[in-house]
Amino acid sequence: MINQTEQEEREYLETIKEKLMLALRRIDLSVKQFSEELRQNKQYIYEHQSGMDDADMVAAGQSINRMAFTGESAVAQKRKLLKLSQSPYFGRMDFESDVTSEKTPVYIGMYSFSDDRTNLIYDWRAPISSMFYDYELGEASYQTRVEKISGIIHLKRQYRIREGRMEFMIENEVNIQDDILQKELSKSSDDKLKNIVATIQRDQNAVIRNETASVMIIQGVAGSGKTSIALHRVAFLLYRYRESIAAQDILILSPNKVFADYISNVLPELGEENIPEMGMEELAAEVMENKFAFQTFFQQVSALLEHNDESFIARIQYKSTFAFLSALNQYMIYLENNYFEPTEIRVAGVVVPHPFILERFKSYHRIPLLKRFNEVVKDVQQYVRSAIQRKLSGQDKTKIWEAVSNLGKRSTPFDLYRNFFHWIGKKEMFKMSETGELEYADVFPLIYCMIRLEGVKVYDHVKHLMVDEMQDYTPVQYAVLSRLFKCKKTILGDMTQTVNPYSASSAESMEQLFPQADSVKLFRSYRSTVEITAFAQRIIPNPDLVPLERHGSVPAVQGFASNGEEIEAIKKLIVSYKNSGYHSLGIICKTTDQAQYIQHEIQMPEINLLTAESTSFKEGIVLTTVHLSKGLEFDDVIIPFASNRNYNTDVDKRMLYIAVTRAMHQLSLTYAKEKSRFIPTA
């Protein structure tokens, strides 16, 4: 058996690096060769194009395209080899299959690498690599596309290799991943979410490699790695189905641009292209073709935090229920049966009887209601044309069009949606702003009506949809997503992290919305120390949460007599952070106004203010709101203005919980006068 000792492993690493360097040199030569051939071909066409016929030009163009494609593939392969040369592999297992009875070392890395048809490194997504995550020493098996291979794992090791140097090697007969986890999680964070291929746990691996689920729901506690797992799942699907699905065929619905930037590093690290992403507001504007101005979700939450408007809350609450969606569906049935009121039509001396018109209208039941009129017009024209045995005049056609149109109520989906609230006797539930904007709670119900009544373009090109922060979407929003995206879906979130509890979905409602879904619950939290996790648990308890046993300092809660004293204390905490060796500090406020106030008072140029308009996440000191911090994590977190006046409602309680759970290693809360009733006592 090869490479038994650590010294032998280090020597083997050098051998692998040499083979990688040889492969890189070969790639460089081929890229240079392709570039030269491409240049020569283009030169030849330029010099001889006058004497070339169309067939020659097409053939020459195709040849150039093939060369360019081959060159691009070589460049992509070079990128992978360069990454492997920095860190060729992170794990090894010695597997003896029942078929061969030979102990074969299987080294696992980010990508596969072979030499003379010998697999030296296996891609972490390869079927055989699944055993590394799923089994300890002893009996094990993996599934290929055609059969199940069983055998015995005799040895497991993990390594940390950086810049081509082995920092450590761990060998353990129990669970080696926890040791690696402790080392990885004790590190400082930076400006991007990282891949977790070296530390994927068994329950996470089952989610990542699930190929059969039409809908995969990942419900995970704060810090459970939901987003990382979902992105690794996307990377696995791109690897597994590379013949039929590409990066551009997948779409991420993300909560905001900052979060989209924060996660943008993961897929490229895993050797995949970045995949398209958009926010729910972008999707809404696109579907509605920018015909309506509307409040954003961020503005809705801000309004809830700044004004305790009971009628506003009531409107949001009602429109986030199943009862509301059910009422909308009943209204659609009512319109189906009552919107079209046929009477006979007289044109060019011909009487078109109303039973014929009604029968034709109902025959188009698969076409959205408001689109059927065009089809009925065509049928009536044909009826009249057959009766008079001649072509119709322009005047006849106009008369038929007007007559058929008058059989409906000449309404738009917006008119009918607004009328819906009169129909159910709740006209107070619809209110537009003084500037003519729709409330956010009305945006997707209106889109739902547009889909049912007019039809909209569906996103057939999307083959997999990933939806993050599932708890912030309502049944109507999911009804819209189901109609716009017919593809498979990965949906993830945490019901305790709702920024608007009045419109949140529960785990039970998700099961009701997607009864066919495979649901997974992740209870282990990896982000925060035991002390920070315990603090968060006393704000919103989750008896199922299991923290990773990683200790740190107890969260600090500091009270002051005035806002001025509190600001001075925050300045000192920032100085302390600068001397700590940590890479990221999050100063997380409840509202944008509070964040801007701190920026004005502290006036440190190195502070990055994140707002709803921000598009990127930067390392260092980040000042932002709770809403925008969702999904992010920081080494150190300061939560200012944690007073009872500022954090007092149920919405505030959830905001405080989200802010606390952003902290990995260090947490401080400051307040003036009376601390929030939600802050745990020592």
Side-chain angles (χ1 to χ4, degrees):
M1 195 161 61
I2 68 164
N3 308 333
Q4 286 289 77
T5 67
E6 184 169 336
Q7 182 56 37
E8 287 174 334
E9 286 280 23
R10 291 184 184 278
E11 289 169 2
Y12 182 71
L13 173 60
E14 294 306 313
T15 302
I16 292 293
K17 283 162 56 181
E18 285 175 17
K19 290 179 182 291
L20 285 164
M21 291 311 295
L22 281 171
L24 275 166
R25 281 199 282 272
R26 285 196 295 269
I27 287 275
D28 279 338
L29 283 172
S30 65
V31 168
K32 195 175 290 184
Q33 182 183 335
F34 283 125
S35 298
E36 180 58 25
E37 287 181 18
L38 196 58
R39 188 193 65 75
Q40 289 175 0
N41 270 26
K42 286 181 175 178
Q43 182 72 20
Y44 179 84
I45 292 172
Y46 177 75
E47 292 172 355
H48 297 85
Q49 58 185 330
S50 58
M52 297 172 73
D53 60 20
D54 289 347
D56 289 336
M57 290 295 287
V58 168
Q62 288 175 342
S63 174
I64 285 174
N65 288 339
R66 277 195 301 273
M67 283 185 189
F69 179 75
T70 307
E72 286 170 11
S73 299
V75 169
Q77 182 64 17
K78 180 180 177 179
R79 277 200 299 267
K80 290 184 178 182
L81 289 171
L82 282 169
K83 283 190 177 180
L84 281 180
S85 65
Q86 296 293 302
S87 181
Y89 44 81
F90 55 82
R92 167 189 172 179
M93 58 185 174
D94 288 359
F95 180 64
E96 178 187 350
S97 77
D98 294 343
V99 179
T100 63
S101 297
E102 291 180 7
K103 294 178 185 175
T104 305
V106 177
Y107 283 87
I108 300 164
M110 198 73 73
Y111 321 114
S112 59
F113 175 63
S114 58
D115 179 50
D116 298 328
R117 297 184 180 178
T118 301
N119 278 328
L120 298 174
I121 303 170
Y122 287 84
D123 191 298
W124 68 276
R125 297 166 291 187
I128 195 170
S129 303
S130 65
M131 294 189 296
F132 181 77
Y133 302 110
D134 290 339
Y135 295 99
E136 302 309 328
L137 302 186
E139 292 183 359
S141 64
Y142 66 96
Q143 183 70 45
T144 69
R145 295 193 183 193
V146 293
E147 62 178 332
K148 183 178 181 180
I149 308 291
S150 299
I152 296 172
I153 295 174
H154 291 279
L155 176 143
K156 275 183 79 173
R157 285 177 178 163
Q158 278 185 267
Y159 319 87
R160 184 195 282 170
I161 301 170
R162 288 196 182 160
E163 297 179 3
R165 188 175 65 84
M166 187 184 293
E167 294 184 359
F168 60 74
M169 177 185 96
I170 293 177
E171 184 171 349
N172 195 320
E173 292 184 358
V174 191
N175 188 350
I176 57 182
Q177 292 186 6
D178 274 358
D179 297 315
I180 294 285
L181 263 177
Q182 290 285 2
K183 291 177 184 292
E184 289 298 316
L185 295 172
S186 62
K187 293 189 306 181
S188 296
S189 71
D190 57 17
D191 62 341
K192 290 284 188 289
L193 190 66
K194 288 285 182 279
N195 77 73
I196 58 168
V197 291
T199 57
I200 291 170
Q201 305 293 287
R202 185 178 301 175
D203 56 345
Q204 297 173 336
N205 193 46
V207 177
I208 290 167
R209 293 176 187 262
N210 184 312
E211 299 177 38
T212 57
S214 60
V215 178
M216 187 88 205
I217 294 177
I218 306 171
Q219 153 75 357
V221 299
S224 58
K226 299 177 292 293
T227 304
S228 285
I229 293 164
L231 290 168
H232 285 67
R233 172 169 165 74
V234 166
F236 172 78
L237 294 172
L238 286 169
Y239 173 88
R240 174 70 177 80
Y241 298 102
R242 50 193 176 277
E243 299 88 1
S244 58
I245 188 169
Q248 62 267 26
D249 301 326
I250 297 175
L251 179 67
I252 297 178
L253 281 179
S254 59
N256 54 65
K257 291 295 180 189
V258 170
F259 181 74
D261 178 63
Y262 180 65
I263 67 174
S264 64
N265 208 41
V266 175
L267 285 166
E269 271 196 2
L270 297 172
E272 302 296 344
E273 295 175 51
N274 248 329
I275 59 181
E277 63 79 27
M278 70 190 321
M280 285 293 271
E281 285 92 350
E282 281 181 273
L283 177 66
E286 192 169 284
V287 172
M288 294 193 295
E289 299 176 338
N290 295 303
K291 291 176 182 174
F292 299 95
F294 57 85
Q295 177 190 50
T296 65
F297 183 56
F298 182 84
Q299 289 167 338
Q300 182 196 72
V301 173
S302 297
L304 286 170
L305 293 171
E306 291 163 12
H307 316 288
N308 193 20
D309 184 336
E310 291 184 6
S311 60
F312 181 54
I313 292 171
R315 291 194 296 278
I316 293 170
Q317 280 181 314
Y318 175 61
K319 291 164 193 173
S320 66
T321 62
F322 277 101
F324 174 69
L325 178 57
S326 177
L328 263 182
N329 284 328
Q330 289 168 18
Y331 180 57
M332 293 300 140
I333 295 170
Y334 166 78
L335 291 176
E336 182 75 31
N337 294 323
N338 297 278
Y339 184 78
F340 188 72
E341 298 173 345
T343 59
E344 65 180 32
I345 296 173
R346 294 174 180 270
V347 181
V350 176
V351 176
V352 185
H354 86 270
F356 169 80
I357 298 171
L358 181 60
E359 184 273 326
R360 295 319 300 148
F361 184 81
K362 288 191 171 180
S363 73
Y364 296 115
H365 64 278
R366 294 187 181 278
I367 298 175
L369 185 71
L370 300 182
K371 292 291 186 184
R372 296 178 204 170
F373 288 81
N374 290 343
E375 303 305 317
V376 175
V377 166
K378 293 175 191 173
D379 291 338
V380 171
Q381 287 178 350
Q382 180 60 40
Y383 185 96
V384 175
R385 195 160 46 240
S386 298
I388 63 177
Q389 296 294 305
R390 64 170 173 82
K391 287 185 177 181
L392 299 178
S393 67
Q395 188 176 1
D396 292 337
K397 289 179 181 178
T398 301
K399 192 170 183 181
I400 290 171
W401 169 252
E402 289 177 347
V404 172
S405 296
N406 287 331
L407 300 179
K409 301 181 176 58
R410 290 179 177 267
S411 302
T412 66
F414 176 78
D415 296 329
L416 292 170
Y417 175 62
R418 187 165 51 186
N419 184 64
F420 160 73
F421 294 95
H422 292 269
W423 183 74
I424 60 173
K426 294 178 182 286
K427 62 180 182 179
E428 74 282 357
M429 284 292 164
F430 182 81
K431 183 180 179 182
M432 295 185 73
S433 73
E434 293 176 1
T435 56
E437 282 187 336
L438 284 168
E439 290 185 342
Y440 184 71
D442 288 308
V443 173
F444 284 87
L446 173 57
I447 291 174
Y448 186 72
C449 290
M450 290 171 68
I451 293 170
R452 295 288 301 270
L453 296 170
E454 273 188 340
V456 298
K457 72 159 190 171
V458 294
Y459 292 76
D460 284 335
H461 67 283
V462 176
K463 296 179 180 176
H464 197 98
L465 180 70
M466 176 178 149
V467 182
D468 208 346
E469 304 295 352
M470 66 182 184
Q471 68 277 3
D472 290 333
Y473 303 132
T474 65
V476 172
Q477 286 177 297
Y478 282 112
V480 167
L481 292 180
S482 293
R483 281 169 168 77
L484 295 179
F485 301 93
K486 307 292 187 182
C487 58
K488 290 187 174 184
K489 300 173 182 68
T490 299
I491 304 174
L492 55 143
D494 176 14
M495 300 310 168
T496 60
Q497 294 187 63
T498 56
V499 291
N500 178 3
Y502 305 120
S503 67
S505 287
S506 65
E508 293 70 33
S509 67
M510 292 303 299
E511 289 169 10
Q512 192 175 336
L513 284 161
F514 298 102
Q516 80 281 24
D518 283 9
S519 293
V520 174
K521 294 185 178 178
L522 304 173
F523 298 123
R524 199 173 194 197
S525 178
Y526 302 98
R527 177 184 297 140
S528 307
T529 61
V530 169
E531 290 74 15
I532 293 170
T533 301
F535 189 88
Q537 283 280 74
R538 286 152 72 191
I539 298 172
I540 297 182
N542 183 347
D544 296 318
L545 186 146
V546 180
L548 187 76
E549 202 69 22
R550 183 171 62 83
H551 289 276
S553 56
V554 174
V557 181
Q558 302 178 45
F560 303 93
S562 67
N563 283 343
E565 288 182 22
E566 185 178 358
I567 291 294
E568 290 305 311
I570 291 170
K571 288 179 183 177
K572 289 177 182 175
L573 287 170
I574 292 172
V575 171
S576 177
Y577 154 75
K578 288 179 180 177
N579 297 325
S580 68
Y582 289 139
H583 294 162
S584 62
L585 168 66
I587 306 173
I588 305 176
C589 302
K590 192 176 93 169
T591 67
T592 302
D593 284 349
Q594 290 171 7
Q596 289 172 339
Y597 172 75
I598 283 186
Q599 185 186 41
H600 179 267
E601 291 298 310
I602 293 179
Q603 292 193 350
M604 292 183 180
E606 63 266 45
I607 292 179
N608 300 305
L609 177 66
L610 287 188
T611 67
E613 288 72 43
S614 299
T615 57
S616 61
F617 181 84
K618 296 176 183 175
E619 186 180 50
I621 305 172
V622 173
L623 173 60
T624 190
T625 61
V626 178
H627 186 175
L628 293 175
S629 74
K630 288 181 69 176
L632 308 180
E633 59 185 27
F634 304 91
D635 294 326
D636 190 356
V637 166
I638 301 170
I639 304 174
F641 313 126
S643 64
N644 202 46
R645 180 182 173 190
N646 197 33
Y647 287 96
N648 193 37
T649 68
D650 187 46
V651 181
D652 297 338
K653 182 180 183 180
R654 292 176 182 277
M655 289 286 182
L656 188 61
Y657 176 83
I658 293 167
V660 165
T661 55
R662 300 309 93 202
M664 294 173 64
H665 309 296
Q666 190 86 23
L667 173 65
S668 303
L669 296 88
T670 64
Y671 67 92
K673 298 182 179 173
E674 185 183 2
K675 75 174 180 180
S676 167
R677 61 195 180 97
F678 303 127
I679 294 176
T681 52

